């Protein structure tokens, strides 16, 4: 089967599948116990989450909604497609991964760029949980049997105080001209801080991490809490956590 057929097959079986989101797997590398508590109690709305939602809504305000069949037709014709907040599915062992990358750029029938945006208090550092989440978007496309040999990943990381309109402009520039940036970390703004992290997608980068993460979803082990008290102090679920270091 080709990528479209694989996608449609997974989508049709979604109601009976064991599903997991890239954001949840990424979250396991921040604090797996927090992911576990969110499954039990639900996510808590925080100022940081609210700010992130606002920036994503601003970035997508000019997007035109189209049917997925139209998207696939355009991809198969080799047309350049810039998709925003579009749901994709993929396979990881006995699980179906379901996620919405901030943006994917397709050209010549193949994915060329996965773009993700992080609103954070420490944009000068790219943390493992952030990188794994975005890598999983590439892994999803790989599992659909897209050619990912030329696929790159770009992460725009900035402070919460960055004006949403400025953030939208930076996002548009990166998506349109990412090939003009060097791989690695590039500073885009000193105040508020903003950086782009650009790297090549490698399907083998986090396979061991993925195997470890899926052990939890299979029920093979209990959730592992963070060992960093600072994370516990900022966690909105710390009062419900028996392992809290706060």
């Amino acid at each position: 089967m080709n990528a479209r057929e694989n996608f449609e097959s997974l989508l049709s079986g979604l109601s009976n599948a064991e599903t997991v989101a890239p954001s949840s797997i990424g979250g396991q590398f921040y604090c797996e116990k927090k992911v576990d508590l969110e499954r039990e109690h639900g996510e808590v709305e925080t100022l940081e989450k609210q700010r992130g939602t606002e920036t994503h809504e601003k970035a997508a305000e000019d997007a035109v909604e189209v049917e997925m069949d139209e998207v696939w037709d355009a991809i198969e014709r080799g047309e350049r497609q810039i998709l925003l907040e579009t749901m994709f599915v993929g396979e990881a062992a006995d699980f179906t991964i379901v996620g919405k990358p901030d943006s994917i750029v397709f050209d010549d029938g193949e994915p060329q760029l996965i773009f993700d945006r992080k609103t954070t208090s420490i944009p000068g550092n790219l943390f493992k949980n952030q990188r794994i989440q975005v890598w999983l978007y590439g892994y999803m496309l790989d599992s659909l049997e897209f050619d990912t040999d030329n696929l790159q990943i770009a992460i725009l990381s900035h402070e919460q105080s960055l004006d949403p309109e400025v953030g939208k402009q930076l996002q548009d520039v990166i998506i349109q001209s990412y090939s003009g940036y060097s791989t690695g970390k590039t500073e885009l703004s000193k105040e508020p801080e903003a950086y782009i992290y650009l790297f090549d997608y490698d399907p083998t980068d986090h396979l061991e991490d993925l195997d470890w993460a899926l052990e939890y979803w299979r029920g093979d082990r209990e959730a592992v809490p963070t060992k960093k008290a600072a994370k516990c102090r900022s966690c909105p679920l710390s009062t419900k956590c028996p392992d809290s270091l706060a």
Side-chain angles (χ1 to χ4, degrees), residues 149-207:
D149 286 350
N150 297 316
L151 181 59
Q152 289 190 293
I153 292 174
I155 299 175
L156 170 60
S157 183
H158 61 79
E159 291 184 280
Q160 296 179 38
S161 57
L162 185 73
D163 181 85
E165 182 60 38
V166 174
K168 180 179 184 297
Q169 292 170 4
L170 287 176
Q171 175 171 329
D172 291 344
V173 168
I174 291 168
I175 290 173
Q176 294 292 343
S177 57
Y178 64 91
S179 59
Y181 292 94
S182 301
T183 54
K185 174 183 175 182
T186 301
E187 184 180 68
L188 301 177
S189 171
K190 286 187 179 295
E191 190 175 334
E193 287 186 65
Y195 300 87
I196 176 178
Y197 297 87
L198 182 68
F199 48 95
D200 296 329
Y201 167 74
D202 184 333
T204 66
D205 270 350
H206 296 289
L207 288 178

Side-chain angles (χ1 to χ4, degrees), residues 7-228:
F7 172 85
E8 291 173 348
S9 176
L10 287 172
L11 200 62
S12 65
L14 208 54
S15 60
N16 298 316
E18 293 284 346
T19 62
V20 61
S23 57
S24 296
I25 293 178
Q28 290 176 254
F29 294 88
Y30 178 83
C31 176
E32 193 172 54
K33 188 64 177 181
K34 182 173 183 284
V35 173
D36 189 59
L37 289 169
E38 287 176 340
R39 293 178 71 194
E40 181 180 354
H41 300 286
E43 291 190 29
V44 178
E45 184 68 21
T46 63
L47 183 61
E48 183 176 355
K49 284 184 179 294
Q50 183 180 352
R51 184 65 169 170
T53 299
E54 291 171 355
T55 59
H56 282 81
E57 288 176 350
K58 180 67 177 178
E61 66 179 5
D62 299 325
V64 177
E65 188 171 349
V66 297
E67 295 295 327
M68 201 61 193
D69 278 343
E70 295 180 58
V71 171
W72 279 108
D73 288 345
I75 290 172
E76 291 176 341
R77 289 194 298 267
E79 297 173 6
R80 181 176 175 83
Q81 294 288 296
I82 299 175
L83 308 182
L84 299 178
E85 303 280 347
T86 302
M87 189 189 81
F88 272 86
V89 294
E91 286 185 295
D94 42 337
F95 289 86
T96 299
I97 310 175
V98 183
K100 288 185 177 182
D102 288 350
S103 183
I104 307 177
V105 178
F106 283 89
D107 212 350
D108 294 327
E110 306 297 348
Q112 305 295 323
L113 180 74
I114 294 172
F115 172 87
D116 196 63
R117 190 165 162 186
K118 300 298 183 187
T119 304
T120 172
S121 59
I122 316 175
N125 291 333
L126 184 63
F127 296 99
K128 186 174 184 177
N129 61 296
Q130 298 170 329
R131 184 159 180 153
I132 286 177
Q133 177 186 343
V134 186
W135 173 83
L136 278 164
Y137 295 136
Y139 190 85
M140 289 165 56
L141 299 177
D142 221 348
S143 76
L144 293 176
E145 299 185 10
F146 275 113
D147 182 348
T148 58
D149 286 350
N150 297 316
L151 181 59
Q152 289 190 293
I153 292 174
I155 299 175
L156 170 60
S157 183
H158 61 79
E159 291 184 280
Q160 296 179 38
S161 57
L162 185 73
D163 181 85
E165 182 60 38
V166 174
K168 180 179 184 297
Q169 292 170 4
L170 287 176
Q171 175 171 329
D172 291 344
V173 168
I174 291 168
I175 290 173
Q176 294 292 343
S177 57
Y178 64 91
S179 59
Y181 292 94
S182 301
T183 54
K185 174 183 175 182
T186 301
E187 184 180 68
L188 301 177
S189 171
K190 286 187 179 295
E191 190 175 334
E193 287 186 65
Y195 300 87
I196 176 178
Y197 297 87
L198 182 68
F199 48 95
D200 296 329
Y201 167 74
D202 184 333
T204 66
D205 270 350
H206 296 289
L207 288 178
E208 289 185 8
D209 295 319
L210 178 59
D211 288 342
W212 176 84
L214 292 180
E215 289 174 359
Y216 161 77
W217 294 97
R218 292 190 186 99
D220 293 342
R221 57 175 177 78
E222 296 295 316
V224 178
T226 182
K227 296 180 180 179
K228 296 185 178 180

